[in-house]
Amino acid sequence: MAVSAPIGIDELLERVRAGYTRVDAPEAYAASRAGALLVDIRYQALRERDGLIPGALVVERNELEWRLDPRGSHRLPEATSHDLQVVVVCNEGYASSLAAASLHALGLHRATDLTGGFQAWKSAGLPVAPA
């Protein structure tokens, strides 16, 4: 079996992002208003420091796949189907890209992530609530 050459994180991000269309903050807001599930994967200290997106589901990154797999035994009630539109939000839009790719691997074909993450959301003047 041939071993492929290692790649760096920048190339990995480029590859996974080519597999879906990312959304900017206004698009994420519109998607959430139309029923998409916003999923905040930032760790607690960032949520406490910067606040929360009202209506977003908070799921720690290490639990994401278990909570959103519609066939999983540990799924959240919101994880109703593989057709669910999910927008993953991290702090700056890097970890969320890898998370969205992982959700695609589970069959959540409408998963995407927010370009620029929570910081782009906040900079766009979109709603933020205290943690």
Side-chain angles (χ1 to χ4, degrees):
M1 182 164 121
V3 176
S4 58
I7 63 170
I9 188 61
D10 293 329
E11 186 178 344
L12 178 60
L13 281 171
E14 205 174 290
R15 286 183 188 184
V16 300
R17 289 173 174 166
Y20 63 91
T21 302
R22 301 177 81 204
V23 296
D24 64 18
E27 291 169 323
Y29 181 70
S32 71
R33 304 278 296 178
L37 185 63
L38 293 183
V39 180
D40 187 343
I41 63 168
R42 293 175 300 142
Y43 54 90
Q44 185 175 350
L46 288 176
R47 295 191 311 266
E48 289 173 357
R49 182 190 77 189
D50 294 336
L52 301 168
I53 297 172
L57 185 64
V58 174
V59 179
E60 295 283 342
R61 174 61 190 100
N62 64 326
E63 297 179 354
L64 184 69
E65 292 81 1
W66 284 267
R67 300 295 185 229
L68 292 184
D69 178 4
R71 297 187 318 187
S73 59
H74 299 294
R75 73 176 182 82
L76 293 169
E78 294 85 353
T80 56
S81 108
H82 286 93
D83 197 42
L84 181 65
Q85 184 179 11
V86 177
V87 179
V88 183
V89 179
C90 68
N91 194 50
E92 294 181 346
Y94 295 99
S96 58
S97 295
L98 299 175
S102 183
L103 294 178
H104 274 262
L106 283 176
L108 291 154
H109 63 99
R110 296 177 69 200
T112 187
D113 77 311
L114 173 57
T115 303
F118 179 84
Q119 296 306 320
W121 178 279
K122 189 175 176 182
S123 292
L126 293 169
V128 175

